[in-house]
Amino acid sequence: MDSGGWIVHGYTNGATATGAGNHGFTCGYAASSCGSWEFEQREQQFISSQIQHRLNEASLIAAISMHLSMDDDDDQSAVYGAAMVDDLLTPSPSTHHAVAAAAGSFPSSSSSSASFRSASVSYSPDTSSSAAAAAATGFYPELSSQVAPLLPPPPLVRNEPQPGRYTAGLPPPPPPPVTGGAFRRYARHLGPRRAPKPGACGQRMFKTAMSALAKMHMETTYRRRQYYYQQAAAAAEAAPPPPSGNNQLQHTMSERKRREKLNDSFVALKAVLPTGSKKDKASILIRAREHIRSLESKLSELEEKNRELEARLVSSPAAKNDKGETAAAEAGDETKREDLVEIEVTTTSGGSGVADAAATGGDQETCCTLNVDLRGGGGGGGMSTTDVVLRTLQCLREQIGDGASLVAMSTSAGSGGRPPSANLTLQLKISMSLSMDDVTMISPRNQMQHTMSERKRREKLNGSFVALQSRPYVLPPGSKLDKTSSILIGAREYMKFLESKLSELEEKNRELEARLVSSPAVVAKNDEEEAAAPPEAGGEVKRERIGSSH
Amino acid sequence: MDSGGWIVHGYTNGATATGAGNHGFTCGYAASSCGSWEFEQREQQFISSQIQHRLNEASLIAAISMHLSMDDDDDQSAVYGAAMVDDLLTPSPSTHHAVAAAAGSFPSSSSSSASFRSASVSYSPDTSSSAAAAAATGFYPELSSQVAPLLPPPPLVRNEPQPGRYTAGLPPPPPPPVTGGAFRRYARHLGPRRAPKPGACGQRMFKTAMSALAKMHMETTYRRRQYYYQQAAAAAEAAPPPPSGNNQLQHTMSERKRREKLNDSFVALKAVLPTGSKKDKASILIRAREHIRSLESKLSELEEKNRELEARLVSSPAAKNDKGETAAAEAGDETKREDLVEIEVTTTSGGSGVADAAATGGDQETCCTLNVDLRGGGGGGGMSTTDVVLRTLQCLREQIGDGASLVAMSTSAGSGGRPPSANLTLQLKISMSLSMDDVTMISPRNQMQHTMSERKRREKLNGSFVALQSRPYVLPPGSKLDKTSSILIGAREYMKFLESKLSELEEKNRELEARLVSSPAVVAKNDEEEAAAPPEAGGEVKRERIGSSH
DNA sequence: AGGAACACGTGACCC
DNA sequence: TGGGTCACGTGTTCC
């Protein structure tokens, strides 16, 4: 093992160079390279490690003698630790003594020495945590509970060995007794932790202890400086120190928040990703990237296809747009267009059709011949025969459905077909059941009727259009769409926009809520409908840390 | 110099508790807060700072004696430090002596003692850094350079006081001398650091030291337990300790790599994002999310449009694929799908039409006769003649558009029409080339054009309709509206619904936000748009996680 | 100054 | 049990 670390080296007699020869401890940092620690028990000292230790940085020479008892009884230790802390927290100059006493007392108490199983114990900000945990919590009073998040100047309650004393004692000072559970998510990690895994236990404790030590020391140093001798020079630089204690906590909190936000962003991002097996943060990022790329490529490809399609469509029907719309287009549009087409229908109704009405012969069925003349208007009648036939038939079918069936038909366009006049002869068989009377005038009448109904329909449609039109969404000005289409598309766009905005808002809301909910706050009952949101992400518990789900 | 650091407290006679009473050093940590170190020259000792230090965690009792000379000559100190490190790194058991010598030599060199400006100095892995820095780097050898990021077993070059020796000497051992710049980015942070900001410095060192201490202790504990009294119970838990040393470094490295990967993923992700002002990690995530959403929406929209376009195209040519190319290629390749309808097409192609091919006379126009036989299947012939004609014509038109025009046609159904067999004869004139013909068909052209454009328009409209139709909103079943109207109205209703929901959500959101904001918490910067947010109830402090700060 | 962002090392946990 | 992941607190830098 090459891990670096501090190595203590004790020399009771070695360090000759030091003025006072009786002690010369050197502490070095063991570089990562060193394979393993070797400790050598030496002299009387309970621990004296003989190591190849590295002194580095030249500026640091330390003698460290340290005792860490790693026994396993938690409760007692916790309590004890709290007590110790309590003691040690006292800012009085007498601390020296106290410390010494503590140090001295330790060996004796080694049997019941404290063991800090895990951070969870030391933190355990969750109010639901056990009393013991709470007691241990006292160690980090500022973190101990959301109720009393911070106590810049430690309360300095002294010599209160009772467990839980701190958690109980501290609340008063903090002005805002924030009751919520803003840090509940942390509680999940901190609170319910299992046994601290015997192997590596104590490290965290140690760290925590050190942190506390640091804080304490800071406090101490500050005080001492204040009380004892302030050198002027020191004073010059001593200015900043005071904020340290408070700042640190604030910093911690801030960092915590930052992390939280980042994690939230992660889950948010994950939500919009296709569900993948890896819940990894890095995987999320990578997948996000891939997804974006794929989306983009797909999009461009689609765009391409779209362009092509559009081109194809445009090229076919509008091939010769060059001519200009001339007569046709300019005339108003849709509603009027029927007029333009100018179809005139002349029918020869009655049993005796032009040709073979007799042939059909049936009683209940009337045979009639319909003669449609495509009136080749001045120059206008550009409609092809095909169209005429088609439309006629269409109308016929639409209107009378299966009430009439085509028996025979013949069309003939003007010789070249270009002379716009065309003739269409239809021989229809009309079933009696439908209003006998008008049998005679089937076609014109129907046509008329059709026209009327169509007009009505159009009107209705237009009404709907204007209703839709009132929507706020406006298409980009450049779009060359006609009114109706633009309205429709606009509506669609607007809907999309609404939806996206809604989902976005919903998302934000969720997030906000989570944040609020994470606190115990009652929070308004939002549970209304909330159906819309994409359900995929719904399953996961709000606060789930990303990876932990499984 | 107020940099934090170890403060050595020497007690030659104090710590009575320790077995060997002759030395009991206590070490406190000077927090960042302390403006300056105050060293008190005491007794003969070059430095002995008297501090009130806190011992916490009950399990930790440490006596630390440490020397930090805070003079300002960097170079010398650095070199010196390197030398020291060098010395101390020697793994031989004789190190004790070396260390002792080093320690001893210190006082004498106190005038030129090393100064620990900052952690930056301690790291400075950047190869480009000055020799002095490199020497100082020895402190964190594993970080010293990207070339030799890790040296599990230290090369153990001995007694090479030259600065930079280590950086040079270390590379060999690491099996994979990762030559790249895997950690180059770290160099950026580590190398060119400025003066360590006098105020808070030293904390890191402290922490590191503590960590080492912890390790040591664990080691120690383990050993002691091993060598001295091993309680059976303790042994159970003592198993893991050995790995501590090596694992830790490995862990650190692994973690480092992980972080690096994550960061790489971040930059990769950022690369595919639209350039935004915020380079924040969280912002990247958020923007990625937004981008994905926008891309998706855009994509779906495009897809929709595409579908629509395709439908338009398909509805014409593909709908009745049966027609196939018909005239152009007489192949009777009927796709089979029309099974029910049972249409058989026989085409007689060729220039000589039945009737008046001559009439058309044009060379470039081909007249052909199309004979469609409606094969009346067994009883299946539900299709009316009208339909057959209609569909046939439709297909004809859609497929070849204006390329072919109907000259004449005649249909005859079986007498009663019900006998499903019908015959349809079409005489078509097919324009050879799209281009040429136009001259001949002037007049109909406009009309046709109009028709076509109108058709297009209709189709587009229909496309929009179907697009709209896809909206989730459905009208109450009772409504008797026709399809289009219902769609329109449904769209409108849906919009209304969306809008109302949105406003409602917005309202809720505002309220939530207000609630969050009202708390003193800094609250994540939601500042996106969200202009409104009237901070109504400032009073209620929900869950202040941060509240403690002020 | 003071907050925001980041990197780092570390303990814990999971497979 | 070890590699991998995460959360955390801290130090440091930038604005």
Side-chain angles (χ1 to χ4, degrees), chain A residues 255-284:
Chain A
E255 174 68 9
R256 216 178 264 185
K257 261 188 88 171
R258 175 181 156 274
R259 263 195 312 256
E260 185 184 2
K261 191 168 81 178
L262 217 149
N263 281 346
D264 285 350
S265 300
F266 261 109
V267 305
L269 177 57
K270 188 175 65 177
V272 301
L273 285 182
T275 55
S277 53
K278 310 274 287 182
K279 301 299 189 192
D280 216 345
K281 270 185 183 154
S283 302
I284 290 179

PDB file of all heavy atoms in Angstrom, chain A residues 255-284:
ATOM      1  N   GLU A 255     -22.784  24.362  -0.101  1.00  0.00           N
ATOM      2  CA  GLU A 255     -22.296  23.273  -0.935  1.00  0.00           C
ATOM      3  C   GLU A 255     -23.334  22.165  -1.011  1.00  0.00           C
ATOM      4  O   GLU A 255     -23.558  21.570  -2.056  1.00  0.00           O
ATOM      5  CB  GLU A 255     -20.983  22.740  -0.352  1.00  0.00           C
ATOM      6  CG  GLU A 255     -20.461  21.520  -1.045  1.00  0.00           C
ATOM      7  CD  GLU A 255     -20.011  21.809  -2.457  1.00  0.00           C
ATOM      8  OE1 GLU A 255     -19.960  22.987  -2.829  1.00  0.00           O
ATOM      9  OE2 GLU A 255     -19.735  20.853  -3.169  1.00  0.00           O
ATOM     10  N   ARG A 256     -23.922  21.941   0.092  1.00  0.00           N
ATOM     11  CA  ARG A 256     -24.939  20.907   0.126  1.00  0.00           C
ATOM     12  C   ARG A 256     -26.060  21.255  -0.843  1.00  0.00           C
ATOM     13  O   ARG A 256     -26.543  20.416  -1.594  1.00  0.00           O
ATOM     14  CB  ARG A 256     -25.489  20.829   1.545  1.00  0.00           C
ATOM     15  CG  ARG A 256     -25.831  19.443   1.973  1.00  0.00           C
ATOM     16  CD  ARG A 256     -26.320  19.449   3.388  1.00  0.00           C
ATOM     17  NE  ARG A 256     -25.280  19.138   4.347  1.00  0.00           N
ATOM     18  CZ  ARG A 256     -25.525  19.004   5.647  1.00  0.00           C
ATOM     19  NH1 ARG A 256     -26.733  19.199   6.123  1.00  0.00           N
ATOM     20  NH2 ARG A 256     -24.550  18.705   6.455  1.00  0.00           N
ATOM     21  N   LYS A 257     -26.433  22.486  -0.791  1.00  0.00           N
ATOM     22  CA  LYS A 257     -27.511  22.899  -1.678  1.00  0.00           C
ATOM     23  C   LYS A 257     -27.104  22.757  -3.138  1.00  0.00           C
ATOM     24  O   LYS A 257     -27.887  22.337  -3.983  1.00  0.00           O
ATOM     25  CB  LYS A 257     -27.911  24.342  -1.390  1.00  0.00           C
ATOM     26  CG  LYS A 257     -29.122  24.415  -0.523  1.00  0.00           C
ATOM     27  CD  LYS A 257     -29.611  25.816  -0.407  1.00  0.00           C
ATOM     28  CE  LYS A 257     -30.577  26.177  -1.518  1.00  0.00           C
ATOM     29  NZ  LYS A 257     -31.219  27.463  -1.286  1.00  0.00           N
ATOM     30  N   ARG A 258     -25.918  23.139  -3.366  1.00  0.00           N
ATOM     31  CA  ARG A 258     -25.436  23.030  -4.735  1.00  0.00           C
ATOM     32  C   ARG A 258     -25.491  21.590  -5.213  1.00  0.00           C
ATOM     33  O   ARG A 258     -25.974  21.286  -6.294  1.00  0.00           O
ATOM     34  CB  ARG A 258     -24.000  23.536  -4.808  1.00  0.00           C
ATOM     35  CG  ARG A 258     -23.376  23.341  -6.157  1.00  0.00           C
ATOM     36  CD  ARG A 258     -21.950  23.843  -6.171  1.00  0.00           C
ATOM     37  NE  ARG A 258     -21.205  23.193  -7.210  1.00  0.00           N
ATOM     38  CZ  ARG A 258     -20.604  22.030  -7.078  1.00  0.00           C
ATOM     39  NH1 ARG A 258     -20.660  21.408  -5.936  1.00  0.00           N
ATOM     40  NH2 ARG A 258     -19.967  21.494  -8.087  1.00  0.00           N
ATOM     41  N   ARG A 259     -25.020  20.738  -4.355  1.00  0.00           N
ATOM     42  CA  ARG A 259     -25.038  19.327  -4.718  1.00  0.00           C
ATOM     43  C   ARG A 259     -26.455  18.865  -4.982  1.00  0.00           C
ATOM     44  O   ARG A 259     -26.722  18.137  -5.935  1.00  0.00           O
ATOM     45  CB  ARG A 259     -24.428  18.509  -3.593  1.00  0.00           C
ATOM     46  CG  ARG A 259     -22.973  18.169  -3.810  1.00  0.00           C
ATOM     47  CD  ARG A 259     -22.542  17.085  -2.872  1.00  0.00           C
ATOM     48  NE  ARG A 259     -22.953  17.352  -1.489  1.00  0.00           N
ATOM     49  CZ  ARG A 259     -22.112  17.780  -0.545  1.00  0.00           C
ATOM     50  NH1 ARG A 259     -20.860  17.979  -0.837  1.00  0.00           N
ATOM     51  NH2 ARG A 259     -22.532  17.990   0.670  1.00  0.00           N
ATOM     52  N   GLU A 260     -27.304  19.322  -4.131  1.00  0.00           N
ATOM     53  CA  GLU A 260     -28.694  18.923  -4.271  1.00  0.00           C
ATOM     54  C   GLU A 260     -29.264  19.377  -5.605  1.00  0.00           C
ATOM     55  O   GLU A 260     -29.916  18.612  -6.310  1.00  0.00           O
ATOM     56  CB  GLU A 260     -29.487  19.553  -3.133  1.00  0.00           C
ATOM     57  CG  GLU A 260     -30.926  19.134  -3.090  1.00  0.00           C
ATOM     58  CD  GLU A 260     -31.647  19.891  -1.994  1.00  0.00           C
ATOM     59  OE1 GLU A 260     -31.005  20.733  -1.344  1.00  0.00           O
ATOM     60  OE2 GLU A 260     -32.825  19.650  -1.797  1.00  0.00           O
ATOM     61  N   LYS A 261     -28.986  20.595  -5.899  1.00  0.00           N
ATOM     62  CA  LYS A 261     -29.491  21.117  -7.163  1.00  0.00           C
ATOM     63  C   LYS A 261     -28.951  20.299  -8.322  1.00  0.00           C
ATOM     64  O   LYS A 261     -29.678  19.947  -9.259  1.00  0.00           O
ATOM     65  CB  LYS A 261     -29.074  22.580  -7.321  1.00  0.00           C
ATOM     66  CG  LYS A 261     -29.777  23.259  -8.472  1.00  0.00           C
ATOM     67  CD  LYS A 261     -29.578  24.763  -8.417  1.00  0.00           C
ATOM     68  CE  LYS A 261     -28.247  25.166  -8.981  1.00  0.00           C
ATOM     69  NZ  LYS A 261     -28.050  26.622  -8.979  1.00  0.00           N
ATOM     70  N   LEU A 262     -27.691  20.023  -8.218  1.00  0.00           N
ATOM     71  CA  LEU A 262     -27.064  19.266  -9.287  1.00  0.00           C
ATOM     72  C   LEU A 262     -27.718  17.904  -9.421  1.00  0.00           C
ATOM     73  O   LEU A 262     -28.003  17.439 -10.535  1.00  0.00           O
ATOM     74  CB  LEU A 262     -25.581  19.118  -8.975  1.00  0.00           C
ATOM     75  CG  LEU A 262     -24.662  19.196 -10.176  1.00  0.00           C
ATOM     76  CD1 LEU A 262     -23.332  19.783  -9.768  1.00  0.00           C
ATOM     77  CD2 LEU A 262     -24.461  17.843 -10.780  1.00  0.00           C
ATOM     78  N   ASN A 263     -27.958  17.307  -8.315  1.00  0.00           N
ATOM     79  CA  ASN A 263     -28.595  15.996  -8.372  1.00  0.00           C
ATOM     80  C   ASN A 263     -29.990  16.085  -8.942  1.00  0.00           C
ATOM     81  O   ASN A 263     -30.415  15.231  -9.711  1.00  0.00           O
ATOM     82  CB  ASN A 263     -28.632  15.381  -6.975  1.00  0.00           C
ATOM     83  CG  ASN A 263     -27.310  14.786  -6.603  1.00  0.00           C
ATOM     84  OD1 ASN A 263     -26.455  14.602  -7.457  1.00  0.00           O
ATOM     85  ND2 ASN A 263     -27.131  14.496  -5.357  1.00  0.00           N
ATOM     86  N   ASP A 264     -30.667  17.121  -8.542  1.00  0.00           N
ATOM     87  CA  ASP A 264     -32.000  17.288  -9.105  1.00  0.00           C
ATOM     88  C   ASP A 264     -31.928  17.426 -10.614  1.00  0.00           C
ATOM     89  O   ASP A 264     -32.725  16.847 -11.345  1.00  0.00           O
ATOM     90  CB  ASP A 264     -32.663  18.529  -8.491  1.00  0.00           C
ATOM     91  CG  ASP A 264     -33.119  18.250  -7.076  1.00  0.00           C
ATOM     92  OD1 ASP A 264     -33.088  17.078  -6.675  1.00  0.00           O
ATOM     93  OD2 ASP A 264     -33.495  19.200  -6.376  1.00  0.00           O
ATOM     94  N   SER A 265     -30.983  18.185 -11.027  1.00  0.00           N
ATOM     95  CA  SER A 265     -30.823  18.350 -12.462  1.00  0.00           C
ATOM     96  C   SER A 265     -30.541  17.003 -13.110  1.00  0.00           C
ATOM     97  O   SER A 265     -31.022  16.727 -14.212  1.00  0.00           O
ATOM     98  CB  SER A 265     -29.688  19.324 -12.762  1.00  0.00           C
ATOM     99  OG  SER A 265     -29.971  20.588 -12.196  1.00  0.00           O
ATOM    100  N   PHE A 266     -29.812  16.231 -12.395  1.00  0.00           N
ATOM    101  CA  PHE A 266     -29.501  14.912 -12.946  1.00  0.00           C
ATOM    102  C   PHE A 266     -30.769  14.096 -13.120  1.00  0.00           C
ATOM    103  O   PHE A 266     -30.995  13.504 -14.178  1.00  0.00           O
ATOM    104  CB  PHE A 266     -28.529  14.166 -12.030  1.00  0.00           C
ATOM    105  CG  PHE A 266     -27.117  14.233 -12.494  1.00  0.00           C
ATOM    106  CD1 PHE A 266     -26.187  14.979 -11.820  1.00  0.00           C
ATOM    107  CD2 PHE A 266     -26.721  13.559 -13.633  1.00  0.00           C
ATOM    108  CE1 PHE A 266     -24.881  15.055 -12.245  1.00  0.00           C
ATOM    109  CE2 PHE A 266     -25.419  13.622 -14.070  1.00  0.00           C
ATOM    110  CZ  PHE A 266     -24.495  14.375 -13.380  1.00  0.00           C
ATOM    111  N   VAL A 267     -31.553  14.059 -12.099  1.00  0.00           N
ATOM    112  CA  VAL A 267     -32.754  13.240 -12.229  1.00  0.00           C
ATOM    113  C   VAL A 267     -33.670  13.823 -13.291  1.00  0.00           C
ATOM    114  O   VAL A 267     -34.330  13.097 -14.035  1.00  0.00           O
ATOM    115  CB  VAL A 267     -33.504  13.103 -10.889  1.00  0.00           C
ATOM    116  CG1 VAL A 267     -32.579  12.577  -9.824  1.00  0.00           C
ATOM    117  CG2 VAL A 267     -34.114  14.407 -10.474  1.00  0.00           C
ATOM    118  N   ALA A 268     -33.685  15.125 -13.354  1.00  0.00           N
ATOM    119  CA  ALA A 268     -34.523  15.744 -14.377  1.00  0.00           C
ATOM    120  C   ALA A 268     -34.049  15.337 -15.759  1.00  0.00           C
ATOM    121  O   ALA A 268     -34.847  15.010 -16.641  1.00  0.00           O
ATOM    122  CB  ALA A 268     -34.494  17.270 -14.228  1.00  0.00           C
ATOM    123  N   LEU A 269     -32.770  15.364 -15.899  1.00  0.00           N
ATOM    124  CA  LEU A 269     -32.211  14.994 -17.199  1.00  0.00           C
ATOM    125  C   LEU A 269     -32.502  13.536 -17.480  1.00  0.00           C
ATOM    126  O   LEU A 269     -32.881  13.163 -18.595  1.00  0.00           O
ATOM    127  CB  LEU A 269     -30.704  15.247 -17.206  1.00  0.00           C
ATOM    128  CG  LEU A 269     -30.006  14.825 -18.485  1.00  0.00           C
ATOM    129  CD1 LEU A 269     -30.624  15.531 -19.676  1.00  0.00           C
ATOM    130  CD2 LEU A 269     -28.536  15.136 -18.402  1.00  0.00           C
ATOM    131  N   LYS A 270     -32.338  12.748 -16.461  1.00  0.00           N
ATOM    132  CA  LYS A 270     -32.564  11.319 -16.655  1.00  0.00           C
ATOM    133  C   LYS A 270     -33.998  11.066 -17.082  1.00  0.00           C
ATOM    134  O   LYS A 270     -34.283  10.136 -17.842  1.00  0.00           O
ATOM    135  CB  LYS A 270     -32.266  10.570 -15.359  1.00  0.00           C
ATOM    136  CG  LYS A 270     -32.284   9.081 -15.534  1.00  0.00           C
ATOM    137  CD  LYS A 270     -31.878   8.373 -14.265  1.00  0.00           C
ATOM    138  CE  LYS A 270     -32.876   8.621 -13.157  1.00  0.00           C
ATOM    139  NZ  LYS A 270     -32.547   7.897 -11.925  1.00  0.00           N
ATOM    140  N   ALA A 271     -34.878  11.909 -16.583  1.00  0.00           N
ATOM    141  CA  ALA A 271     -36.292  11.693 -16.873  1.00  0.00           C
ATOM    142  C   ALA A 271     -36.579  11.821 -18.361  1.00  0.00           C
ATOM    143  O   ALA A 271     -37.446  11.131 -18.884  1.00  0.00           O
ATOM    144  CB  ALA A 271     -37.137  12.683 -16.079  1.00  0.00           C
ATOM    145  N   VAL A 272     -35.886  12.695 -19.010  1.00  0.00           N
ATOM    146  CA  VAL A 272     -36.179  12.901 -20.423  1.00  0.00           C
ATOM    147  C   VAL A 272     -35.374  11.969 -21.314  1.00  0.00           C
ATOM    148  O   VAL A 272     -35.507  12.007 -22.528  1.00  0.00           O
ATOM    149  CB  VAL A 272     -35.900  14.349 -20.845  1.00  0.00           C
ATOM    150  CG1 VAL A 272     -36.740  15.297 -20.030  1.00  0.00           C
ATOM    151  CG2 VAL A 272     -34.445  14.671 -20.733  1.00  0.00           C
ATOM    152  N   LEU A 273     -34.571  11.167 -20.685  1.00  0.00           N
ATOM    153  CA  LEU A 273     -33.787  10.240 -21.492  1.00  0.00           C
ATOM    154  C   LEU A 273     -34.554   8.936 -21.666  1.00  0.00           C
ATOM    155  O   LEU A 273     -35.377   8.595 -20.842  1.00  0.00           O
ATOM    156  CB  LEU A 273     -32.455   9.946 -20.808  1.00  0.00           C
ATOM    157  CG  LEU A 273     -31.407  11.036 -20.875  1.00  0.00           C
ATOM    158  CD1 LEU A 273     -30.147  10.580 -20.193  1.00  0.00           C
ATOM    159  CD2 LEU A 273     -31.145  11.415 -22.300  1.00  0.00           C
ATOM    160  N   PRO A 274     -34.248   8.254 -22.729  1.00  0.00           N
ATOM    161  CA  PRO A 274     -34.838   6.922 -22.857  1.00  0.00           C
ATOM    162  C   PRO A 274     -34.330   6.064 -21.723  1.00  0.00           C
ATOM    163  O   PRO A 274     -33.158   6.143 -21.349  1.00  0.00           O
ATOM    164  CB  PRO A 274     -34.301   6.437 -24.203  1.00  0.00           C
ATOM    165  CG  PRO A 274     -33.073   7.242 -24.445  1.00  0.00           C
ATOM    166  CD  PRO A 274     -33.335   8.571 -23.827  1.00  0.00           C
ATOM    167  N   THR A 275     -35.192   5.297 -21.212  1.00  0.00           N
ATOM    168  CA  THR A 275     -34.798   4.514 -20.046  1.00  0.00           C
ATOM    169  C   THR A 275     -33.664   3.575 -20.421  1.00  0.00           C
ATOM    170  O   THR A 275     -33.751   2.813 -21.359  1.00  0.00           O
ATOM    171  CB  THR A 275     -35.976   3.687 -19.550  1.00  0.00           C
ATOM    172  OG1 THR A 275     -36.462   2.907 -20.640  1.00  0.00           O
ATOM    173  CG2 THR A 275     -37.062   4.585 -19.038  1.00  0.00           C
ATOM    174  N   GLY A 276     -32.656   3.689 -19.649  1.00  0.00           N
ATOM    175  CA  GLY A 276     -31.491   2.858 -19.909  1.00  0.00           C
ATOM    176  C   GLY A 276     -31.143   2.067 -18.673  1.00  0.00           C
ATOM    177  O   GLY A 276     -31.601   2.371 -17.575  1.00  0.00           O
ATOM    178  N   SER A 277     -30.321   1.123 -18.887  1.00  0.00           N
ATOM    179  CA  SER A 277     -29.995   0.260 -17.769  1.00  0.00           C
ATOM    180  C   SER A 277     -29.128   0.985 -16.747  1.00  0.00           C
ATOM    181  O   SER A 277     -29.283   0.824 -15.559  1.00  0.00           O
ATOM    182  CB  SER A 277     -29.275  -0.976 -18.275  1.00  0.00           C
ATOM    183  OG  SER A 277     -28.168  -0.584 -19.064  1.00  0.00           O
ATOM    184  N   LYS A 278     -28.233   1.786 -17.244  1.00  0.00           N
ATOM    185  CA  LYS A 278     -27.277   2.411 -16.342  1.00  0.00           C
ATOM    186  C   LYS A 278     -27.858   3.661 -15.712  1.00  0.00           C
ATOM    187  O   LYS A 278     -28.304   4.564 -16.398  1.00  0.00           O
ATOM    188  CB  LYS A 278     -26.020   2.777 -17.119  1.00  0.00           C
ATOM    189  CG  LYS A 278     -25.484   1.636 -17.948  1.00  0.00           C
ATOM    190  CD  LYS A 278     -24.573   0.749 -17.117  1.00  0.00           C
ATOM    191  CE  LYS A 278     -23.274   1.489 -16.885  1.00  0.00           C
ATOM    192  NZ  LYS A 278     -22.314   0.702 -16.125  1.00  0.00           N
ATOM    193  N   LYS A 279     -27.792   3.666 -14.426  1.00  0.00           N
ATOM    194  CA  LYS A 279     -28.299   4.830 -13.718  1.00  0.00           C
ATOM    195  C   LYS A 279     -27.163   5.759 -13.313  1.00  0.00           C
ATOM    196  O   LYS A 279     -27.371   6.733 -12.594  1.00  0.00           O
ATOM    197  CB  LYS A 279     -29.046   4.380 -12.461  1.00  0.00           C
ATOM    198  CG  LYS A 279     -30.198   3.465 -12.760  1.00  0.00           C
ATOM    199  CD  LYS A 279     -31.217   4.167 -13.635  1.00  0.00           C
ATOM    200  CE  LYS A 279     -32.478   3.336 -13.745  1.00  0.00           C
ATOM    201  NZ  LYS A 279     -33.370   3.819 -14.788  1.00  0.00           N
ATOM    202  N   ASP A 280     -26.059   5.409 -13.745  1.00  0.00           N
ATOM    203  CA  ASP A 280     -24.845   6.128 -13.417  1.00  0.00           C
ATOM    204  C   ASP A 280     -24.951   7.611 -13.760  1.00  0.00           C
ATOM    205  O   ASP A 280     -25.619   7.983 -14.715  1.00  0.00           O
ATOM    206  CB  ASP A 280     -23.766   5.544 -14.288  1.00  0.00           C
ATOM    207  CG  ASP A 280     -22.500   5.501 -13.566  1.00  0.00           C
ATOM    208  OD1 ASP A 280     -22.439   6.183 -12.543  1.00  0.00           O
ATOM    209  OD2 ASP A 280     -21.623   4.813 -14.015  1.00  0.00           O
ATOM    210  N   LYS A 281     -24.252   8.395 -13.010  1.00  0.00           N
ATOM    211  CA  LYS A 281     -24.252   9.809 -13.388  1.00  0.00           C
ATOM    212  C   LYS A 281     -23.531   9.994 -14.705  1.00  0.00           C
ATOM    213  O   LYS A 281     -24.026  10.667 -15.609  1.00  0.00           O
ATOM    214  CB  LYS A 281     -23.570  10.643 -12.314  1.00  0.00           C
ATOM    215  CG  LYS A 281     -24.526  11.136 -11.266  1.00  0.00           C
ATOM    216  CD  LYS A 281     -23.815  12.044 -10.299  1.00  0.00           C
ATOM    217  CE  LYS A 281     -24.764  12.484  -9.212  1.00  0.00           C
ATOM    218  NZ  LYS A 281     -24.060  12.815  -7.977  1.00  0.00           N
ATOM    219  N   ALA A 282     -22.384   9.414 -14.774  1.00  0.00           N
ATOM    220  CA  ALA A 282     -21.634   9.549 -16.022  1.00  0.00           C
ATOM    221  C   ALA A 282     -22.430   8.962 -17.175  1.00  0.00           C
ATOM    222  O   ALA A 282     -22.484   9.541 -18.262  1.00  0.00           O
ATOM    223  CB  ALA A 282     -20.289   8.830 -15.893  1.00  0.00           C
ATOM    224  N   SER A 283     -23.056   7.859 -16.913  1.00  0.00           N
ATOM    225  CA  SER A 283     -23.846   7.234 -17.970  1.00  0.00           C
ATOM    226  C   SER A 283     -24.981   8.144 -18.395  1.00  0.00           C
ATOM    227  O   SER A 283     -25.318   8.223 -19.572  1.00  0.00           O
ATOM    228  CB  SER A 283     -24.407   5.908 -17.482  1.00  0.00           C
ATOM    229  OG  SER A 283     -23.365   5.062 -17.090  1.00  0.00           O
ATOM    230  N   ILE A 284     -25.537   8.795 -17.438  1.00  0.00           N
ATOM    231  CA  ILE A 284     -26.606   9.719 -17.781  1.00  0.00           C
ATOM    232  C   ILE A 284     -26.085  10.780 -18.725  1.00  0.00           C
ATOM    233  O   ILE A 284     -26.690  11.085 -19.755  1.00  0.00           O
ATOM    234  CB  ILE A 284     -27.177  10.378 -16.505  1.00  0.00           C
ATOM    235  CG1 ILE A 284     -27.953   9.348 -15.699  1.00  0.00           C
ATOM    236  CG2 ILE A 284     -28.065  11.535 -16.865  1.00  0.00           C
ATOM    237  CD1 ILE A 284     -28.523   9.902 -14.433  1.00  0.00           C
TER     238      ILE A 284
END
